[in-house]
């Protein structure tokens, strides 16, 4: 017995079984086991900040060395452009005031005016093709909350969708990238009464930076080059956020027409992201009884 | 092992673990093929286990696994269809990898640099094959999800590039572990003593 208890393979097997139990128990919603990694953050976060700032400094130094001349030239061009833009801005400020007056008068509500926008920096990226959750530096201490069954859209600076928040912690959030095979979203062609379908991440296409489009109606097949935006079906994501363009369409099987979509933006290339959080009255609207089934079918 | 040596070993391991894990998740795209990156954490655990034995491998594997889970946990689809970020899969993988690395032909052949690289290749291949198989099985269980990657695609676009990248990364990591610590001369003195002592010798520190 003593020999068995000191056998390294026995101890390894027992340890792996215990960890397996933790993995299974941790997968239940609201499991306290999800908090066991919190202390790790206290040690590794400061180190990561140092590594990140050192890497960025080295990168900046290298860029300064190689691109100095080009930057100087570009700087001059940009100054001229800023002067031009400043003039346009002055003109548009006047127009914006008039638009706001009209908006108020006609009770117009912009889609995104119902959302709070939280900016965040990407803290850590995927470490492997399967260990692919991305951490962003904004959490519930900043005012973000994630109700069960709810999801938050993540966009880039041009408001293109790049992923969704699947977990919110105290100081950070876990983001599922658009290309991940667990991601799916309801989209439509960016046109009046545009056809709707499901856009999902795909294991074989993500290496090429593409998504799979399924659920295409044979009567309304999208064409390569069509711009696809969120349809808003299910209410998880606001309507009209750009996703990408159709790259190829496969009509070889009429019962299962598929297409590939190239997203406008890849979270892997970005440092700053924005999280769209519905305002309180909208959160209530989205978590009404009966809604989650429809929601799960559309945006998951 | 004397106290200064032990302190040196712990300090060097701490620096390696913290720097390599944070570097990998902060700047993953330094070298990339088909959107895949060299898995520095994985390679370090395999090499530590192979070069310095079971005890070192398991401890390094457990710490690296915990940090991997913290930084970039895999997202899994639960049975109700929702996508969640998991806890413990990195820990599980890294401990299993360390156990395999520590016993990679170490009983029959002396530990040597060539087999260190072979161990990285073989264990990466095993990890990727098992990973694809498990994901295939899991997505088969779920009704609305399909794993659109057949065996040849998995081989060409995932398994082989990842193995090549890990082999590439294992060269500097091997040199680092061999010549910069945690042990002088790149040899764990405990492993020299443990020869012929049977299965319990791994507990000696």
């Amino acid at each position: 017995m003593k020999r068995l208890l000191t056998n390294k393979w026995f101890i390894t097997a027992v340890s792996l079984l215990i960890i397996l139990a933790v993995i299974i128990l941790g997968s239940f919603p609201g499991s306290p086991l999800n908090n066991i990694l919190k202390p790790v953050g206290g040690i590794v976060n400061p180190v990561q900040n140092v590594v990140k700032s050192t890497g960025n400094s080295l990168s900046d130094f290298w860029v300064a060395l190689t691109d100095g001349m080009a930057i100087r030239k570009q700087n001059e061009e940009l100054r001229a452009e800023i002067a031009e833009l400043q003039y346009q801005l002055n003109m548009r400020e006047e127009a914006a005031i008039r638009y706001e007056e009209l908006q108020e008068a006609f009770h117009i509500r912009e889609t995104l005016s119902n959302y709070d926008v939280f900016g965040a920096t990407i803290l850590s990226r995927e470490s492997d093709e399967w260990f692919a959750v991305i951490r962003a530096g904004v959490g519930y201490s900043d005012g973000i909350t994630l109700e069960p069954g709810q999801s938050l859209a993540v966009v880039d600076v041009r408001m293109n969708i790049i992923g969704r928040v699947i977990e919110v912690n105290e100081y950070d959030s876990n983001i599922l990238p658009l290309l991940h095979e667990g991601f799916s979203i309801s989209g439509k062609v960016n046109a009046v009464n545009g056809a709707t379908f499901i856009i999902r991440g795909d294991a074989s296409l993500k290496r090429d930076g593409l998504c799979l489009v399924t659920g295409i109606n044979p009567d309304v097949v999208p064409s390569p080059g069509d711009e696809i935006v969120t349809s808003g079906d299910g209410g998880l994501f606001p309507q009209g956020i750009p996703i990408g363009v159709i790259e190829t369409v496969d009509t070889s099987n009429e019962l299962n027409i598929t297409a590939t979509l190239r997203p406008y933006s890849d979270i892997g290339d970005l440092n700053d992201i924005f999280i769209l959080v519905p305002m309180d009255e909208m959160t209530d609207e989205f978590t009404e009884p009966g809604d989650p089934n429809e929601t799960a079918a559309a945006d998951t | 092992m004397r106290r200064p040596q032990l302190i040196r070993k712990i300090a060097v391991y701490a620096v390696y673990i913290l720097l390599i894990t944070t570097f990998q998740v902060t700047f993953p795209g330094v070298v990339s093929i088909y959107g895949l990156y060299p898995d520095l954490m994985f390679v370090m655990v395999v090499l530590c286990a192979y070069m310095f034995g079971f005890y070192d491998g398991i401890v390094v594997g457990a710490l690296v696994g915990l940090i991997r889970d913290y930084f970039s946990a895999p997202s899994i689809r639960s049975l109700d269809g929702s996508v969640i970020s998991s806890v413990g899969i990195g820990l599980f993988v890294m401990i299993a990898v360390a156990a395999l690395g520590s016993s990679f032909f170490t009983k029959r052949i002396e530990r040597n640099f060539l087999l260190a690289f072979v161990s990285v290749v073989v264990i990466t291949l095993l990890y990727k094959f098992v990973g694809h198989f498990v994901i295939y099985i899991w997505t088969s269980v779920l009704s609305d999800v399909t794993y659109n990657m057949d065996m040849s695609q998995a081989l060409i676009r995932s398994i082989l590039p990842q193995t090549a990248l890990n082999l590439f990364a294992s060269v500097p990591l091997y040199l680092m572990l061999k010549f910069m610590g945690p042990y002088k001369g790149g040899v764990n003195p405990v492993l020299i003593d443990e020869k012929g002592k049977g299965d319990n010798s791994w507990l000696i520190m």
Side-chain angles (χ1 to χ4, degrees):
Chain A
M1 186 67 180
K2 191 183 171 187
R3 198 174 168 186
L4 180 71
L5 291 174
T6 55
N7 182 292
K8 64 182 180 184
W9 293 110
F10 177 76
I11 294 174
T12 306
V14 171
S15 306
L16 291 178
L17 282 174
I18 292 169
I19 297 165
L20 204 57
V22 169
I23 294 169
I24 293 165
L25 292 173
S27 66
F28 291 109
S31 167
L33 288 171
N34 290 326
N35 297 323
I36 60 173
L37 291 175
K38 267 188 182 174
V40 177
I43 300 166
V44 295
N45 281 346
V47 178
Q48 199 209 1
N49 289 339
V50 172
V51 169
K52 193 173 184 180
S53 59
T54 309
N56 289 340
S57 302
L58 287 172
S59 171
D60 291 347
F61 180 67
W62 179 249
V63 168
L65 277 178
T66 54
D67 293 354
M69 293 293 282
I71 287 169
R72 198 174 298 167
K73 194 182 171 192
Q74 200 178 26
N75 200 16
E76 284 169 14
E77 289 169 4
L78 286 172
R79 280 181 194 200
E81 201 176 319
I82 285 170
E84 173 67 24
L85 288 171
Q86 188 63 51
Y87 170 73
Q88 286 181 20
L89 187 67
N90 292 341
M91 300 295 286
R92 284 180 186 178
E93 267 177 8
E94 183 66 26
I97 292 166
R98 287 189 184 169
Y99 174 71
E100 274 176 24
E101 286 169 1
L102 282 170
Q103 197 181 20
E104 207 171 307
F106 290 99
H107 306 290
I108 297 168
R109 296 187 83 186
E110 287 179 79
T111 313
L112 294 180
S113 67
N114 297 325
Y115 288 79
D116 283 326
V117 180
F118 290 80
T121 306
I122 290 180
L123 298 177
S124 59
R125 299 169 191 279
E126 67 271 33
S127 56
D128 169 289
E129 65 178 309
W130 298 317
F131 288 75
V133 167
I134 289 172
R135 278 172 61 246
V138 62
Y140 57 75
S141 63
D142 301 291
I144 292 185
T145 52
L146 188 67
E147 303 294 331
Q150 194 193 8
S151 192
L152 306 175
V154 182
V155 295
D156 68 0
V157 70
R158 295 177 189 276
M159 297 304 277
N160 300 313
I161 199 140
I162 49 175
R164 69 184 181 90
V165 175
I166 56 169
E167 192 177 290
V168 177
N169 305 311
E170 191 170 359
Y171 300 110
D172 54 57
S173 304
N174 289 344
I175 295 169
L176 190 71
L178 177 60
L179 294 177
H180 191 278
E181 50 269 33
F183 192 101
S184 71
I185 187 170
S186 176
K188 64 167 194 165
V189 174
N190 192 15
V192 179
N193 297 326
T196 60
F197 25 69
I198 301 293
I199 294 134
R200 58 177 79 232
D202 182 87
S204 61
L205 292 173
K206 73 176 173 186
R207 312 269 178 282
D208 299 319
L210 297 171
C211 293
L212 185 68
V213 182
T214 58
I216 297 172
N217 183 339
D219 299 328
V220 204
V221 178
S223 310
D226 281 354
E227 185 187 49
I228 307 301
V229 297
T230 53
S231 72
D233 290 353
L236 281 181
F237 299 123
Q239 186 181 349
I241 298 182
I243 305 173
V245 288
I246 296 289
E247 188 145 303
T248 60
V249 180
D250 180 6
T251 53
S252 56
N253 179 359
E254 279 201 6
L255 296 174
N256 184 26
I257 297 172
T258 59
T260 59
L261 174 140
R262 184 168 294 281
Y264 281 128
S265 192
D266 180 2
I267 200 167
D269 302 329
L270 303 172
N271 284 321
D272 298 304
I273 54 148
F274 300 89
I275 297 173
L276 303 182
V277 181
M279 288 174 181
D280 285 345
E281 68 269 31
M282 294 197 69
T283 311
D284 297 340
E285 199 178 298
F286 291 154
T287 50
E288 278 175 4
D291 208 26
N293 288 337
E294 190 192 329
T295 297
D299 299 330
T300 57
Chain B
M1 184 177 281
R2 284 184 299 175
R3 195 178 170 85
Q5 285 177 312
L6 187 66
I7 292 170
R8 178 180 184 269
K9 181 177 96 166
I10 292 169
V12 171
Y13 269 139
V15 170
Y16 284 169
I17 290 169
L18 290 172
L19 284 185
I20 285 174
T21 51
T22 52
F23 180 82
Q24 184 173 338
V25 295
T26 311
F27 306 105
V30 177
V31 182
S32 164
I33 297 176
Y34 283 140
L36 297 169
Y37 319 117
D39 195 340
L40 303 178
M41 300 184 205
F42 182 95
V43 175
M44 185 175 72
V45 171
V46 174
L47 288 178
C48 279
Y50 179 77
M51 293 167 72
F52 307 130
F54 183 85
Y55 183 88
D56 286 35
I58 288 289
V59 174
V60 170
L63 292 173
V64 168
L66 278 173
I67 298 174
R68 192 178 177 98
D69 276 329
Y70 175 76
F71 276 140
S72 55
S75 56
I76 53 171
R77 204 176 259 267
S78 59
L79 284 171
D80 67 354
S82 59
V83 180
I84 53 168
S85 61
S86 63
V87 177
I89 295 181
L91 185 63
F92 183 94
V93 168
M94 289 299 153
I95 287 181
V97 158
L100 285 172
S102 69
S103 57
F104 189 79
F105 293 110
T106 48
K107 286 209 168 172
R108 294 185 185 277
I109 309 170
E110 291 273 335
R111 289 176 165 85
N112 63 70
F113 82 98
L114 206 59
L115 270 183
F117 300 130
V118 177
S119 71
V120 170
V121 169
V122 171
I123 296 170
T124 305
L125 287 171
L126 193 66
Y127 166 61
K128 299 304 282 187
F129 272 112
V130 171
H132 280 289
F133 181 71
V134 169
I135 294 172
Y136 174 76
I137 295 292
W138 183 243
T139 48
S140 305
V141 172
L142 300 168
S143 56
D144 65 329
V145 187
T146 49
Y147 193 55
N148 288 332
M149 198 178 227
D150 58 35
M151 198 59 227
S152 61
Q153 275 185 322
L155 199 66
I156 295 165
R157 313 208 66 179
S158 169
I159 297 168
L160 292 179
Q162 187 68 66
T163 307
L165 283 164
N166 282 4
L167 179 62
F168 175 71
S170 67
V171 177
L173 284 176
Y174 177 85
L175 294 172
M176 185 183 82
L177 290 169
K178 179 81 180 167
F179 297 109
M180 292 168 66
Y183 298 101
K184 273 187 180 171
V187 178
N188 181 357
V190 174
L191 292 180
I192 298 167
D193 299 341
E194 82 176 15
K195 278 185 184 175
K197 284 186 181 173
D199 221 13
N200 298 343
S201 57
W202 68 283
L203 291 168
I204 301 164
M205 264 314 286

